[in-house]
Amino acid sequence: MAIKNTRLEKAFQNTIDRRSFIGHALSFAVGSALFPLAACSSDASDPWRYAADLRQRIKPPEFPDRDFPVGDFGAVGDGETDCTDSLNEAIRACSEAGGGRVVVPEGVYRTGPIHLLSNVNFHVSDGATLSFYTDPARYLPVVFTRFEGTELMNFSPLVYAYEQENIAVTGGGTLDGNASYDNWWIWKKNRGGEKVPNPSKDRLTALGDAGVPPARRLFGAEGQLRPSFLQPYRCKNVLIEGIKVRRAPFWQVHPVLCTNVTVRGIDVQSPGPNNDGCNPECCRSVLIEDCRFDTGDDCIAIKSGRNADGRRVGVPSEDIIVRNCEMKAGHGGVVIGSEMSGGARNVFVEDCRMSSPDLWYMLRIKTNSLRGGFVENVHVRNVKIGTVGKAAIRVNFYYSDGDVGDHVPTVSNISVRDVTGQEVRQVLALQGYERSPVRDVQITDCRFEGVQKADLVEHVENLVLENVYTDFEG
C-alpha cells in the first residue's frame, strides 16, 4: 500500500538538517493548489490539455506522389561505389520538379554528405544502408552549423539542410556513420576513455563571447570539432521517421531553429562520446514519439544555445512533446541543457519506458551561471522506470563550470505524476542557488523502490509531494 509522503519527507528533512540549510525556503504544500502555469494553457490547472492541442497542431509535411529512384542517377548499392554525387543529384532533381520521394532501394550505398532540399522526402528503404565515409575532408567545404550550442562554419553534418521547407528522411533503412575510436571519436576520447584535449572548443567559445560573427568563426579540418549526424538548420515542416541511426560522429538527430518537427519511430543506437540521441535546439513545435534510444550520452536533450552566443540568438526551445519512447543507456532519458541560454518552456513527457544501469536520470535539467537562461513548464506523466543509476529527477545549477558567471538561471513549474521506478538509487537531487531557487515542483502519485540514497534538496521553493512512496530506510 502506498505511503503518503512520510518517508520522502523524512528523507528531505534529514538532508536539510544534516546540511543545515539555514535560510532555504523549502515548503511541502501537500494537497494544496499547484502554481499557475505561465502562458501554457487557457486552463492553467491542466497543462495536458495544452499538450493535446499542441499535438494536433504539429503535422508532418506532405509530398507529391512521384518517386525518383537513386539508381536512375547512377547510385549503386554494392558497398563500394561512391554514391555521394548521385544521391545529391537525385535530391536536386526531385526538388526542382516540385518535390516527391527520392527512393534508396535495398543495398549498401557509400556516401559523403547528403544535403536535403525543399519538398523532398529522402526515403531509405528497408534493407538499404547509407554507409558514410569517415574521412573528414569529405565533409568540406564548411557550412553554417553549430557545435555544442555555438554557431560557426564547420564540417557539413552527414545529412544537412539549411533554410529548407517540407523535408523528410523516412523508411526502415539504416544510416551508418561508421564512427569509431579510429576516426571521429578519437577527437574526444581515446579507447581507454581518457579525454583528448582540444583547444578549438575554447577558441570557439571565446569567439562567441567576443561577438565575432559566425561567418568568421572558421573551423573545419584543423579544428577537429565533430559534425552532427542529421541536422536540419532553420527549416520548416520536418519529418524524420522510421530510420535506424548507427555510429554517429557526434550528436545524432539535431534540428536547429526549426518549426513543426516530427521525429517518429526511429531507432538510435550509438555508444560514442557525446552521442546524444535527439537534440532539438531553439526549436518550436516538436513531436518525438515511438522512438528507441540507446546512446553514449543523453537520449533526448533539449537545447537553446550556449552562453553569449545563445543569448545573441535568443530563441528558446518550446512546445515540445516526447511520448511513447524507450530509453536505454544514456546520461539522461529526457534532459534540458546544458546549452540552454535561450531558455526552454512547455515540455511534455508521457508514456515512456526507461531502464538501464547505464541510464543516469529519468529527467535532468543542467545549467550554471555562465549559461543562464530559463526552464519553465516541464510536465511528466506515466513513465515506467526499470533501473536508473543515479536519480529519478535531477536539477543541477552547478553543472560543469559551477557558479562562476553573472547569468543566473531560473527553473520553475515542474510536475511529475504517475511515475514508477523499480531500481532508483535516489529519487530527487535538486540544487538551485540561494539567489535563484528551483521553484514550484510537484510530485504526485509516484512510487520509487530500490532507493539507496537520501534525497538532496538545496535552495528549492514550494516542493509539493502528494501520494509519493519510497522504500528508502536511511
Side-chain angles (χ1 to χ4, degrees):
M1 188 169 103
I3 298 175
K4 185 175 181 177
N5 301 322
T6 53
R7 290 183 177 177
L8 205 54
E9 290 187 41
K10 178 181 176 183
F12 290 144
Q13 190 61 51
N14 287 344
T15 305
I16 294 166
D17 291 345
R18 190 163 54 247
R19 292 179 174 268
S20 300
F21 293 158
I22 299 172
H24 291 196
L26 173 65
S27 64
F28 295 90
V30 177
S32 66
L34 186 57
F35 50 86
L37 285 172
C40 187
S41 175
S42 58
D43 182 356
S45 66
D46 185 9
W48 292 100
R49 180 178 298 176
Y50 181 90
D53 291 343
L54 170 62
R55 188 179 169 198
Q56 293 301 312
R57 295 197 304 270
I58 302 172
K59 297 185 181 297
E62 297 181 353
F63 302 91
D65 185 16
R66 51 176 169 254
D67 285 351
F68 293 76
V70 297
D72 291 353
F73 298 86
V76 180
D78 60 3
E80 297 180 1
T81 302
D82 183 352
C83 299
T84 308
D85 291 342
S86 299
L87 297 173
N88 283 291
E89 184 181 346
I91 291 169
R92 284 192 297 272
C94 180
S95 181
E96 290 171 1
R101 191 174 70 152
V102 171
V103 180
V104 183
E106 183 176 349
V108 177
Y109 298 82
R110 298 287 282 156
T111 185
I114 293 170
H115 288 189
L116 302 177
L117 298 173
S118 291
N119 303 312
V120 173
N121 175 3
F122 188 76
H123 185 82
V124 185
S125 304
D126 273 321
T129 296
L130 297 178
S131 179
F132 287 86
Y133 293 108
T134 58
D135 178 7
R138 285 185 168 266
Y139 299 90
L140 297 172
V142 296
V143 300
F144 191 97
T145 182
R146 282 195 187 192
F147 180 85
E148 292 188 346
T150 301
E151 294 185 327
L152 78 164
M153 305 300 295
N154 195 32
F155 295 113
S156 171
L158 280 58
V159 180
Y160 178 68
Y162 185 76
E163 294 187 341
Q164 303 300 307
E165 190 168 343
N166 302 326
I167 59 172
V169 180
T170 65
T174 300
L175 279 63
D176 188 348
N178 291 307
S180 72
Y181 289 105
D182 293 324
N183 45 70
W184 297 112
W185 297 347
I186 194 63
W187 290 355
K188 173 67 175 184
K189 291 181 180 180
N190 62 27
R191 289 184 181 276
E194 298 173 320
K195 289 187 176 180
V196 176
N198 187 347
S200 293
K201 290 179 62 174
D202 292 337
R203 183 166 73 90
L204 176 59
T205 299
L207 291 172
D209 290 345
V212 174
R216 290 171 48 197
R217 303 172 195 169
L218 299 174
F219 285 80
E222 296 181 0
Q224 296 191 345
L225 300 178
R226 293 166 291 157
S228 296
F229 199 141
L230 199 164
Q231 184 185 78
Y233 207 110
R234 293 182 183 167
C235 294
K236 296 179 181 179
N237 308 331
V238 177
L239 173 64
I240 302 167
E241 183 174 36
I243 59 171
K244 304 174 184 69
V245 182
R246 301 289 186 265
R247 295 189 290 182
F250 186 55
W251 296 353
Q252 301 190 62
V253 178
H254 181 206
V256 182
L257 289 164
C258 293
T259 58
N260 192 37
V261 178
T262 300
V263 180
R264 177 183 293 139
I266 67 172
D267 185 309
V268 178
Q269 294 183 44
S270 189
N274 308 112
N275 274 184
D276 298 24
C278 183
N279 289 8
E281 184 166 8
C282 302
C283 289
R284 183 175 185 179
S285 298
V286 178
L287 173 63
I288 305 169
E289 65 177 355
D290 304 328
C291 298
R292 183 180 185 276
F293 299 97
D294 192 350
T295 68
D297 208 300
D298 298 321
C299 294
I300 294 173
I302 298 164
K303 299 179 181 289
S304 61
R306 181 186 181 107
N307 298 5
D309 205 54
R311 290 184 286 274
R312 175 187 63 83
V313 176
V315 175
S317 277
E318 58 187 337
D319 291 350
I320 296 174
I321 298 173
V322 178
R323 60 181 306 275
N324 197 32
C325 291
E326 180 181 5
M327 288 79 166
K328 304 296 286 185
H331 293 180
V334 176
V335 178
I336 302 175
S338 71
E339 297 84 359
M340 52 157 280
S341 300
R345 64 165 69 94
N346 303 344
V347 176
F348 302 90
V349 182
E350 63 176 339
D351 301 327
C352 291
R353 303 162 306 284
M354 305 185 188
S355 184
S356 172
D358 299 318
L359 181 67
W360 293 356
Y361 308 101
M362 175 194 72
L363 175 67
R364 183 187 195 189
I365 299 172
K366 49 184 179 178
T367 185
N368 58 50
S369 57
L370 291 175
R371 302 284 192 274
F374 65 87
V375 176
E376 62 188 21
N377 307 336
V378 179
H379 304 286
V380 180
R381 69 177 181 182
N382 301 334
V383 173
K384 297 185 183 301
I385 303 171
T387 300
V388 291
K390 293 191 176 182
I393 304 167
R394 174 65 162 145
V395 178
N396 182 12
F397 280 28
Y398 297 87
Y399 178 78
S400 184
D401 300 294
D403 185 9
V404 297
D406 298 324
H407 303 277
V408 179
T410 63
V411 173
S412 63
N413 298 355
I414 300 172
S415 71
V416 176
R417 66 180 307 124
D418 297 315
V419 172
T420 60
Q422 297 177 352
E423 294 292 335
V424 179
R425 179 174 175 79
Q426 185 180 35
V427 178
L428 299 184
L430 311 178
Q431 292 178 286
Y433 293 151
E434 183 174 7
R435 65 190 184 280
S436 180
V438 178
R439 289 186 169 93
D440 304 326
V441 180
Q442 182 170 22
I443 317 294
T444 306
D445 297 335
C446 294
R447 182 181 183 90
F448 301 100
E449 299 179 348
V451 181
Q452 304 173 33
K453 188 176 180 180
D455 296 86
L456 172 64
V457 178
E458 296 180 353
H459 302 300
V460 177
E461 290 183 357
N462 192 25
L463 175 60
V464 179
L465 303 173
E466 186 171 9
N467 195 28
V468 176
Y469 171 87
T470 170
D471 63 0
F472 179 69
E473 297 286 355

